[in-house]
Structures are given as structure tokens and as C-alpha cells.
Amino acid sequence: MTHLIQDLMGSVGELVETSSVRAFINGQWVNAANSFEVDDPSSGATIASVANCGLNEADAAVDAASGAGRAWAPLSPLQRADLLHRTYALMMRDEDRLADLIALENGKSRSDAAAEVRYAAQFFRWNAEEAVRIEGHYAIAPNGLSRTVVSRTPVGVAALVTPWNFPAAMPARKVAPALAAGCTVVLKPAAETPLTAIAMVELLVEAGVPAGVVNVVTTVDAADVVDRWLSDSRVRKLSFTGSTPVGRSLLRTAAGRVLNCSMELGGAAPFVVLPDADLGHAVRDAVIAKFRGGGQACTAANSFHVHASVAEEFVDRLASEVGRLTVGPSRSGAAVGPLISARAVTRLTKTVDDAVTHGAQIVARGDLPGDCSGYFFPPTVLTDVAPSSSLATEELFGPVAPVLIWDDTDELVARLNRSEYGLAAYVQSRDIAAGMKFADRIDAGMVAVNRGVLSDPAAPFGGMKQSGLGREGAQHGLHEFTEIKYLSVDWSQD
Ligand code: NAD
């Protein structure tokens, strides 16, 4: 590999060296006219200078992807599967170094980063297995006059746009199914965390990906590059993961060409504790659901809704667990890392302060690390939170756990379903039937019953309402990169 990871990891600890990172277009590492800097959120120090691509590079990437598609799409499914299998093996070989890189540029804890690498790698494995099972359909038409042959063909050049909170998993969740389906891609990773995507492409190159099949365009001028792609008639697909406001705006632009779009957008998952829940289990899952990645996951439990009969005990136990969470840079082994930016700290501080002004009570607050030059926010638990407050309704994206109390199931369901989001939800109950019945009533694409995590490459990930369109993972994720083609065949002639 071209040693991006080694270069960067040589400097972990001191963070004094600045590495120079290029974009990847048509099988070449390319520089741009200028560059942007990537920070370590644990310290604020610059860790890399990255090519800031513009319209020329955006066009060159589509030229390359479009050209390469002519040879990639007709390859046998087995050949595409082999490449994905090799990429999976290389990611697992480099698990430690990739995890170090994620922890460095994103700030999440080292164990969360390693879990992300394994999760990301599984998308290559799953899609390698699925690439040879893209099924069609054959039937005799009901009137007997023709045969119906239905198959899935690659949609074509796919523009992939990914966020900073899962620097490996979000690109992997798109690149792997796109390649399995026979598409070529132009990827724009988040400017906060482009290094992991570049490192993964190094592994794809080592695995033998042909030039032009995968292109990575790094930039801080996201709107310019992505708008250019959306207006290019050779781009046939947008797969976006990010915030709902940006997703809405991209959908408006994509409508101009009636572009095929898959959108994985924001979430504000409620975590519901039914009266019969096992509280020890519920609190353990609550800590995972809230504090994994410092709360910066689209599926993170946003707010906790606890039945009045168990609320006091749940809050006591949660407060005690949260008080024990260590906060600090991932290299210190802390459980909770920093937020992604100083701006994120300011935003979350304001949301918590507003809630406290309106009567919310802080019942637990973790300690910040002694040297606080990074973007840290203390894990916090609040009660007496107004159901209509920003703290209870907006995507918090940080280690803050508001707890609300309920005693009427119908009212709770109606309140939760008023959210514009519908990505994920959590429910805890000793009675599985009660938990599943409750889950059925919640408008969310994914519900975890007695679990604190739910992502799985073999399951359909995605949201209802303004949390998105389409699904990633399972065979659904691969199908998003295909078009259905139907042949109507008359073979009655001699
Ligand atoms: P974001 O919407 O700000 O950015 C996402 C991506 O879009 C980045 O690559 C960014 O550079 C790019 N972008 C930003 N503005 C753009 C524009 N005007 N035109 C084109 N591209 C633009 O989101 P973020 O802050 O990077 O990520 C956090 C958000 O992502 C949260 O809302 C979170 O819930 C969501 N998310 C959703 C999922 C999911 O699967 N549903 C997964 C992870 C994150």
C-alpha cells in the first residue's frame, strides 16, 4: 500500500508531522491546485493536508468512472466477488492500523474504531457473497402469449457522498454493493475524515481494482463538486448519507434529472423502557446506544422514555454508569472521545443550557480530561425535560441523555410518531411479545428490541419519513445499485 496509514500512524502520539494526501482518480493519486487541513478532534492539531479538488477533478472522476464502467459491468459476477473478498481480507489484515486512523481523524474510542473497521469490512464480505446471487425472474405471461424475463442491471456511474461519523463504514456500505452490482463510483468523503476512505482505496488497489472503477474526490467545496455530478448525464445514481437538511437540498437538485437516489439521513431515535423491563439490561443497552461513538451516530438513542413506575431506579442506575465513563483522546483508552468540532461543542452546549434554563435538571455529568485542547463534551444525563424542547426532539449528536417519564402508552406512541425522523428506535421489555407489539407501533425503519445496537451488514438499514429513502445492507443495499429490466419475449415463431 502507499503507506498513508504508516505515515500518519508514525506521528500518532506527538502529532507533529503533517502528511500530504492526494485524491484518487482513474487509478492515479492526484494533487489539486490547493489543499485543506484535517484536524485531530482530540487535540485540534492538524494531522494532514489533503487535496482540495474542484470541478476539473470532479469531471475527471466521472470521465474515469464512465469509461471504466464499460469493462466493469460486463465482468462476471464471480470476478467482481473475488475483488470484494480480497478487499475484505485486506481490511481485516489492517484492522489495527485502520482503527488507529479512524480514531485519529474522527476521535471515537479505539474500541469503537476497531468495531467500525470490522463492521465496514463485513460489507465487502457480504456483497462478495451477494454479487453471485443477483436473482431475476422468469414466467409465462398470464395470457400465454409471451415469456416474461426480468433481470437486474447495474444502474451505472454512482455518486457516493458520505459523512464523518463512520469514516470507514459509510463508504464501505456504498462502495461494496455498488461494485458488486457492476457500477463504478465517484466518492466524496466528508472533509473532516477523508483519510480513512483514502486508506480503504489503497486496499482496493492492492486487491486489484481496475483504474477508474473507484474514484475518490476530496474537497471542502462539497456543494460545487456534488452539484456538478448531479448535473452530469453520465451519473445515474446518488447514494447520500448525511443530514436531513442537506439530503433535502440534494433531492431538489436531483429532481432536475429525475436521478435515482438512495438517502440515509438524520435520526433522533427514542429509547423506550416498558414497565417490566430488566433495568440492569436496559441501562447497559442504554449506555451502548447513547455513548457509542460519543453519541455521534445516526442510530444513537437520542432521548430516553421511561415508564413512571421504574423511572427513578432507571435514572439512578444510568447516572451511576455515566458518571463512570472516562472521557479523553482515544489513545488514552478513554470510553468517550471528543465531538467532531468546536462548532459541535458550541451547538450542544447551547441546547443543554437552553433546556436547563427551562427547568431541566442535570443528574449526572462526567469529567473532562485535564488537558482540554480537544473538542470534548462531558457525558450528561438530564431529567425534567420538556417533551417539546430541542433537547427532546432534535438530533443531539453528542453524549447527552435526556430522560422523560411516561405513563400512557397511546400518548407516548403518538408523541414519538410526531417526529419528522423515523430512522431507529429502541424498546426494552422482559416480555418479547410486548416489546415487539410496541416496536410495531413506532414509525421507524429499524427497532432494536432488548438491544443497544442494531446495525448489521446482512440486515436492511434505513429510515422512514425524513430519515431517508431506500435501504443499505442485505440484498436491499445491492438492489439500490441496480435497475430492473424486463424483456417481453415471443418465442412462438418457428
Ligand atoms: P452533512 O449532511 O453535513 O454532510 C454529509 C456529506 O454531505 C459530507 O460529505 C458533506 O461534505 C456533504 N455535504 C454537505 N453539504 C453539502 C451540499 N450542500 N451539497 C453536497 N454535499 C454536501 O452531515 P454530517 O455532519 O457529515 O453527518 C452527520 C449527519 O449524518 C447526521 O444528521 C446523521 O444522522 C447523518 N447520518 C445518517 C446515517 C444513516 O445511515 N441514516 C449514517 C450516518 C450519519
Side-chain angles (χ1 to χ4, degrees), residues 160-166 170 173-174 188-193 219-227 230 240-247 249-250 253 263-268 296-300 340 343 395 397 421 423 446 461-463 467-468 472:
L160 315 179
V161 182
T162 53
W164 48 264
N165 63 340
F166 286 93
M170 297 302 99
R173 210 161 75 175
K174 299 182 187 303
K188 193 212 78 62
E192 295 87 344
T193 58
T219 187
V220 282
D221 302 316
D224 292 352
V225 165
V226 176
D227 280 358
L230 299 188
F240 172 80
T241 298
S243 61
T244 295
V246 173
S249 144
L250 294 182
T253 308
M263 312 298 282
E264 295 287 345
L265 307 179
Q296 301 174 106
C298 52
T299 51
I340 191 67
R343 202 158 57 101
E395 187 175 31
F397 242 57
Y421 296 112
L423 186 64
M446 302 174 282
F461 186 107
S467 286
E472 290 189 326

Side-chain angles (χ1 to χ4, degrees), residues 15-354:
L15 299 177
V16 287
E17 300 287 334
T18 296
S19 296
S20 184
V21 176
R22 290 170 289 174
F24 186 70
I25 298 172
N26 203 19
Q28 305 291 318
W29 297 100
V30 298
N31 270 320
N34 52 53
S35 58
F36 64 94
E37 292 182 341
V38 176
D39 290 351
D40 168 7
S42 293
S43 65
T46 299
I47 50 173
S49 163
V50 180
N52 187 27
C53 296
L55 299 183
N56 288 342
E57 290 80 16
D59 289 343
V62 178
D63 291 346
S66 170
R70 285 191 279 279
W72 182 249
L75 270 193
S76 73
L78 204 50
Q79 285 170 298
R80 293 200 297 268
D82 285 346
L83 173 88
L84 298 176
H85 272 301
R86 288 194 294 275
T87 307
Y88 162 72
L90 292 171
M91 285 190 73
M92 294 311 293
R93 180 197 71 187
D94 282 353
E95 176 184 334
D96 280 347
R97 288 185 295 168
L98 287 168
D100 286 343
L101 192 53
I102 292 171
L104 178 64
E105 66 173 346
N106 169 282
K108 67 178 65 176
S109 76
R110 185 57 174 64
S111 59
D112 285 345
E116 183 185 341
V117 177
R118 294 191 294 274
Y119 173 57
Q122 288 295 337
F123 283 99
F124 286 96
R125 181 179 182 173
W126 171 268
N127 283 287
E129 290 162 356
E130 284 298 299
V132 293
R133 298 192 183 91
I134 304 176
E135 292 180 346
H137 173 74
Y138 166 85
I140 299 172
N143 61 12
L145 298 178
S146 62
R147 309 292 162 122
T148 298
V149 181
V150 180
S151 62
R152 289 184 178 273
T153 62
V155 66
V157 175
L160 315 179
V161 182
T162 53
W164 48 264
N165 63 340
F166 286 93
M170 297 302 99
R173 210 161 75 175
K174 299 182 187 303
V175 171
L179 267 49
C183 297
T184 55
V185 304
V186 291
L187 165 68
K188 193 212 78 62
E192 295 87 344
T193 58
L195 308 179
T196 308
I198 291 285
M200 281 167 49
V201 168
E202 289 180 344
L203 298 182
L204 275 156
V205 171
E206 191 178 346
V209 71
V213 170
V214 176
N215 305 275
V216 184
V217 175
T218 47
T219 187
V220 282
D221 302 316
D224 292 352
V225 165
V226 176
D227 280 358
R228 183 70 152 216
W229 286 345
L230 299 188
S231 65
D232 188 322
S233 61
R234 295 169 299 172
V235 172
R236 304 289 292 276
K237 169 87 194 174
L238 169 65
S239 177
F240 172 80
T241 298
S243 61
T244 295
V246 173
R248 268 191 216 111
S249 144
L250 294 182
L251 281 170
R252 273 193 288 271
T253 308
R257 289 204 301 114
V258 195
L259 191 66
N260 180 326
C261 291
S262 298
M263 312 298 282
E264 295 287 345
L265 307 179
F271 187 108
V272 176
V273 181
L274 299 186
D276 71 333
D278 173 337
L279 292 187
H281 187 103
V283 167
R284 193 198 66 198
D285 284 354
V287 170
I288 296 168
K290 179 83 239 181
F291 297 98
R292 189 172 60 97
Q296 301 174 106
C298 52
T299 51
N302 206 54
S303 50
F304 294 84
H305 305 266
V306 187
H307 190 265
S309 62
V310 291
E312 193 177 338
E313 188 181 345
F314 179 87
V315 169
D316 284 352
R317 288 190 186 211
L318 182 65
S320 148
E321 289 298 319
V322 170
R324 275 202 283 274
L325 290 174
T326 51
V327 181
S330 60
R331 59 185 168 277
S332 71
V336 178
L339 298 188
I340 191 67
S341 64
R343 202 158 57 101
V345 175
T346 307
R347 177 189 52 77
L348 196 54
T349 305
K350 183 176 177 315
T351 306
V352 170
D353 288 352
D354 281 355

Side-chain angles (χ1 to χ4, degrees), residues 292-481:
R292 189 172 60 97
Q296 301 174 106
C298 52
T299 51
N302 206 54
S303 50
F304 294 84
H305 305 266
V306 187
H307 190 265
S309 62
V310 291
E312 193 177 338
E313 188 181 345
F314 179 87
V315 169
D316 284 352
R317 288 190 186 211
L318 182 65
S320 148
E321 289 298 319
V322 170
R324 275 202 283 274
L325 290 174
T326 51
V327 181
S330 60
R331 59 185 168 277
S332 71
V336 178
L339 298 188
I340 191 67
S341 64
R343 202 158 57 101
V345 175
T346 307
R347 177 189 52 77
L348 196 54
T349 305
K350 183 176 177 315
T351 306
V352 170
D353 288 352
D354 281 355
V356 169
T357 306
H358 289 95
Q361 304 287 325
I362 293 178
V363 294
R365 181 155 244 192
D367 294 325
L368 289 178
D371 164 18
C372 219
S373 56
Y375 314 131
F376 293 99
F377 195 96
T380 306
V381 180
L382 297 104
T383 56
D384 300 314
V385 176
S388 58
S389 65
S390 303
L391 191 64
T393 55
E394 287 177 10
E395 187 175 31
L396 297 175
F397 242 57
V400 173
V403 182
L404 294 89
I405 297 173
W406 63 275
D407 58 14
D408 183 295
T409 310
D410 292 342
E411 270 174 29
L412 176 68
V413 169
R415 177 157 60 77
L416 297 182
N417 283 344
R418 274 199 290 275
S419 170
E420 70 179 25
Y421 296 112
L423 186 64
Y426 300 81
V427 58
Q428 294 276 329
S429 169
R430 277 197 177 89
D431 177 353
I432 292 296
M436 290 181 70
K437 275 185 194 154
F438 190 89
D440 261 1
R441 298 182 66 188
I442 296 294
D443 295 338
M446 302 174 282
V447 185
V449 181
N450 292 338
R451 297 206 67 214
V453 286
L454 40 63
S455 303
D456 185 328
F461 186 107
M464 296 179 178
K465 298 192 281 186
Q466 297 194 36
S467 286
L469 298 171
R471 294 293 181 268
E472 290 189 326
Q475 65 273 38
H476 309 275
L478 199 162
H479 289 171
E480 300 272 328
F481 289 95

